[in-house]
Amino acid sequence: MSTPDPPGFDRPLDLLRQTHRRLEQRCALMQRLVTHLQEQGCDADAQATAGHVVRFFEEDMAQHHRDEEEEFYDAVVEAAPAKSRPELAKLVAELRGEHERQQAVWRDVLRPQLTAIMEGRGKTLHREAVDRCHMLYVSHLLI
């Protein structure tokens, strides 16, 4: 039995869903890292995990947000029947606001902590910030 091809740009909704699944995995990874740091300290595994998470958010999620905001959202509004466009435009504004809140938690709290861990200088990753990040992304996925 063959496995299906991974989603590509010819299947943009599948590509978005795949990135959302990977995001869920990275949030779960950060939650495990909090516990790992408490039990094992900032060892090589913690540093490698932090680097993995940083790269995902800095590269994949940054591109994902750009794709949603620059291409997907406007295309959805434009493709909708005229009577639905005002409501969809409002929804898109909410989604863009969520991106701003997500990016603030990443930029102001998680990235500095994870960078310090990745470099062997950090000792903790605040569970409250990880939970806040996760909650913001889960609520975004529900819209």
Side-chain angles (χ1 to χ4, degrees):
M1 176 179 262
S2 67
T3 58
D5 291 332
F9 294 107
D10 58 326
R11 297 182 359 235
L13 289 178
D14 290 339
L15 193 59
L16 289 173
R17 283 187 200 102
Q18 180 187 47
T19 303
H20 289 163
R21 280 191 300 275
R22 290 174 58 220
L23 170 66
E24 281 286 330
Q25 293 168 347
R26 294 323 176 277
C27 286
L29 186 59
M30 282 192 291
Q31 290 169 333
R32 289 192 306 272
L33 181 56
V34 169
T35 302
H36 179 92
L37 288 163
Q38 292 168 343
E39 295 173 356
Q40 305 295 322
C42 187
D43 61 7
D45 288 338
Q47 291 172 34
T49 299
H52 182 71
V53 172
V54 167
R55 280 186 297 282
F56 174 76
F57 277 91
E58 291 293 310
E59 297 169 11
D60 297 352
M61 284 310 297
Q63 183 62 51
H64 174 75
H65 283 179
R66 280 192 300 275
D67 289 345
E68 283 185 335
E69 293 190 13
E70 295 172 6
E71 297 175 26
F72 182 70
Y73 292 160
D74 292 336
V76 168
V77 173
E78 289 172 19
K83 67 180 182 176
S84 300
R85 288 181 186 162
E87 187 173 329
L88 280 173
K90 182 180 173 185
L91 178 61
V92 164
E94 288 177 33
L95 290 168
R96 285 187 167 122
E98 285 187 355
H99 280 177
E100 291 172 13
R101 289 185 291 281
Q102 292 163 351
Q103 290 167 355
V105 170
W106 171 251
R107 178 189 62 241
D108 298 341
V109 182
L110 291 174
R111 180 174 52 194
Q113 291 178 11
L114 287 162
T115 299
I117 294 163
M118 181 177 70
E119 295 171 352
R121 314 180 273 110
K123 303 289 184 227
T124 60
L125 179 61
H126 294 122
R127 187 174 301 279
E128 298 80 17
V130 172
D131 291 345
R132 172 85 174 133
C133 177
H134 188 225
M135 188 267 318
L136 285 168
Y137 279 105
V138 166
S139 70
H140 180 77
L141 301 178
L142 295 176
I143 290 183

